Amino acid sequence: MRTVAELEERLSVPRPELVADIGKLEGDLVVLGAGGKLGPSLVRLALRAVEAAGASTKITAVSRFTEPGLADSLREAGAEVHVADISSDAELAGVPEAANVVYLVGAKFGTAGREHATWATNTYLPGRVAGRFRDSRIVALSTGNVYPFVPVGSGGATEESLLGPVGEYAMSCLGRERILEDASDRNGTPVALIRLNYAVEMRYGVLLDVASAVWHGEPVDVTTGHANVVWQGYSNEVTLRALHHAASPPFVLNVTGPETVSVRQLAERFGQILDREPVITGEELPTALLSNASKCHQLFGYPDETLGAMLEDVAAWVRADLPRHGKPTKFQRRDGRF
């Protein structure tokens, strides 16, 4: 993958299991937040799965679409495009009806200092969306940040673990889950909550953060010394297939890769690939934000992109100075401020 076009192609190739599930989906699909980091590739993946299944599902991509050319690109791929700011009641009401809704809207980066706006986006807005689509199946993107830090050797928090969000961003995300849970309870709306961390592709993610630091001779802080990562194409696939698992009470699913990844070892491996000596700072603490995705892997299989392959691809991307989203994950933060 040496171009954005090649990357988008790779992200949008549906596996047979997704094609089969999309073929069984009843009704049309609306993707809210289709212009964000995950949205465009998820929409393209869904479109290709619909085509491969020979299904008639209409897919509507909803966003403000502030990135030039993105709306036209999704139209060309076959999506219906609906330009709207769904924080407006009037514009939310104008979004087309659909039996299936994937909700990707959220605020994380730059939220420190704007906590009120963070809660409005992450907690208040989902309740309004749940009211608007009370008769639909809703799959909503959440985050592993709703869990507390856990011992590195624990294997990560499971869906049954006690929650303990750190910081207002994480608390607002738990608020999103609770609001959707309440809507599901009151209205019988089938809901699935996807606790994702950390999605990776060539333009952003934990691997890019570490590789970029190694390439530029910047220090890699290993105080938070371990993390989970998962190929974004896989997380998009699981999000779409989870429509068949939406339920009341909500179906909850951790989505990440199978490994507990050492940040120090990542830096050392990137150093080998990039022929750079990594600059390591700090000492590993015994806890980190980690999720156990065994339930996900049992239901949907393992990610089709291995950690080793992602390392090689990210390193090549960094070496070639190819485009990035410019949104570091800040996975090292332990105070919840993003």
Side-chain angles (χ1 to χ4, degrees):
M1 290 178 281
R2 296 303 181 98
T3 68
V4 171
E6 290 179 4
L7 172 58
E8 291 290 356
E9 166 68 18
R10 178 67 185 89
L11 285 168
S12 64
V13 176
R15 296 200 291 183
E17 296 86 353
L18 174 61
V19 172
D21 276 356
I22 286 289
K24 294 181 289 187
L25 195 63
E26 297 180 358
D28 294 330
L29 169 65
V30 161
V31 180
L32 301 176
K37 294 194 313 299
L38 302 179
S41 58
L42 182 143
V43 169
R44 292 187 182 101
L45 179 66
L47 288 165
R48 293 182 69 174
V50 166
E51 181 180 12
S56 59
T57 306
K58 181 174 70 175
I59 298 174
T60 301
V62 181
S63 173
R64 292 176 297 163
F65 289 110
T66 56
E67 179 184 330
L70 178 57
D72 289 339
S73 172
L74 293 179
R75 281 193 192 96
E76 291 171 4
E80 299 288 326
V81 170
H82 186 89
V83 180
D85 179 355
I86 63 169
S87 66
S88 158
D89 287 336
E91 295 192 36
L92 176 59
V95 174
E97 296 284 351
N100 305 284
V101 175
V102 170
Y103 183 74
L104 303 176
V105 180
K108 178 178 181 179
F109 303 107
T111 54
R114 289 186 51 78
E115 287 79 6
H116 60 92
T118 304
W119 283 87
T121 298
N122 291 345
T123 307
Y124 177 59
L125 180 56
R128 291 159 59 203
V129 168
R132 168 69 179 79
F133 291 101
R134 68 179 62 206
D135 297 321
S136 304
R137 287 183 292 274
I138 300 175
V139 174
L141 192 65
S142 186
T143 172
N145 286 83
V146 298
Y147 295 118
F149 288 81
V150 298
V152 169
S154 68
T158 70
E159 291 84 356
E160 288 73 38
S161 296
L162 292 176
L163 303 181
V166 177
E168 293 211 39
Y169 161 70
M171 287 189 285
S172 73
C173 293
L174 178 55
R176 171 172 51 213
E177 292 195 9
R178 294 302 191 215
I179 289 295
L180 290 172
E181 182 181 11
D182 179 67
S184 180
D185 179 67
R186 285 185 292 107
N187 303 323
T189 304
V191 172
L193 301 170
I194 305 299
R195 292 176 179 164
L196 173 64
N197 71 308
Y198 286 96
V200 169
E201 50 121 300
M202 307 307 106
R203 293 167 295 186
Y204 74 94
V206 171
L207 301 186
L208 178 63
D209 293 347
V210 176
S212 181
V214 171
W215 178 249
H216 293 288
E218 298 167 353
V220 176
D221 186 353
V222 299
T223 305
T224 299
H226 296 81
N228 298 130
V229 298
V230 65
W231 173 240
Q232 183 186 301
Y234 175 81
S235 66
N236 285 346
E237 175 194 320
V238 169
T239 299
L240 291 167
R241 295 178 66 191
L243 285 162
H244 288 294
H245 295 265
S248 181
F251 170 77
V252 179
L253 189 70
N254 292 343
V255 178
T256 195
E259 304 96 345
T260 296
V261 181
S262 162
V263 177
R264 184 185 296 270
Q265 290 177 6
L266 285 179
E268 291 171 349
R269 179 58 184 146
F270 279 127
Q272 294 170 354
I273 299 171
L274 296 169
D275 195 24
R276 292 284 199 275
E277 186 65 32
V279 180
I280 305 293
T281 63
E283 292 293 333
E284 290 87 344
L285 290 177
T287 61
L289 184 68
L290 299 168
S291 296
N292 185 318
S294 297
K295 178 179 175 181
C296 174
H297 302 150
Q298 289 168 2
L299 285 172
F300 301 112
Y302 284 97
D304 54 340
E305 194 80 8
T306 67
L307 179 60
M310 289 191 291
L311 287 169
E312 295 284 348
D313 286 340
V314 168
W317 198 269
V318 168
R319 190 194 301 274
D321 195 25
L322 294 170
R324 307 176 194 182
H325 288 321
K327 294 182 177 179
T329 60
K330 300 185 181 180
F331 73 92
Q332 307 95 331
R333 298 298 300 250
R334 300 182 70 87
D335 59 3
R337 292 177 62 83
F338 301 101

